[in-house]
Amino acid sequence: MPADGFGTVDTTRDDAVTLRPSPDRDCRVIVVGNEKGGAGKSTVAMHLSVALMRMGQRVGVVDLDVRQRTLTRYLENRHRWMQSTGSKLPMPEIIRVDASTERDLDTAEREETNRLMGAIDRLTAVSDYIIIDAPGGDTFLSRLAHTTADTLITPLNDSFVDFDLLGDVNPQTLEVIRPSFYSEMVWNCRKKKAQASRKPIDWIVMRNRVSPLEARNKQKVGEALNNLSKRIGFRLAPGLSERVIYRELFPAGLTLLDLTERGSNVAFTMSHVAARQELRDLVILLQLPALAGTEITF
């Protein structure tokens, strides 16, 4: 199967992916999912991938965002940066899974199942962790990816506009009225996962792009999320603060963990030190079994 210079494998041919992942695999699947765009899924997926690799873990990634391909472009930029600077950076193998073009729904879903499960199986053989960047919408591929998750990370912008993705709350008391459509989808995926493998999905909701200011709205969002977490069963992570550096790093394909590498022209500041600590806190909160007792070295 052809691959480009930075390890991307084209899975558009249905006959190329027919294998299934073993249910007793040691490789852990981490899905970064949220049906709303602009929550920073690809930034989280990229930084988590590099963080795990810098801890000595083998990482493969799957890009399911069939329209934007932000993670694929991020890694393409990284590959070009390494070529131009001569630096060697941690680089995951990435498999891009495309949506089926079949018009018959059953045929299309079978094809997409073969593609995604085949991609997971291929990466399982060479990875300790597989990170799946799910699309920002309700698609069959997205629901299938959520069902394969051992750990689900849902980045959420720190506002009630994004909170509505998870649940409906009383604006005065902040009590949960009912879960919303994405929460219901995750619940269904958890049931399917339990029925198929008797394994749970550890769901983490991370407050992303958090403002450093202690605004009233920020406090109310936090209280509502805490109430909702008890109702539908997810763990809360502090997430990553709003920082310009994330947007500046994308064209070079760099992460916060690459700023001291040769060729980087970004001045390393105390703000970046604080951002790295946020990433460390996220890795610790994930409680990944294979990392128990492992020292965080970034």
Side-chain angles (χ1 to χ4, degrees), residues 44-60:
V44 171
M46 183 69 177
H47 277 75
L48 183 58
S49 298
V50 173
L52 290 172
M53 285 186 289
R54 289 194 178 275
M55 296 176 68
Q57 304 298 305
R58 301 173 301 165
V59 178

Side-chain angles (χ1 to χ4, degrees), residues 26 28 30 57 129 150-151 202 283 286-294:
D26 293 328
R28 189 171 185 86
I30 301 174
Q57 304 298 305
Y129 290 93
D150 298 306
T151 297
D202 185 20
V283 172
L286 291 180
Q287 299 175 5
L288 300 173
L291 297 183
T294 302

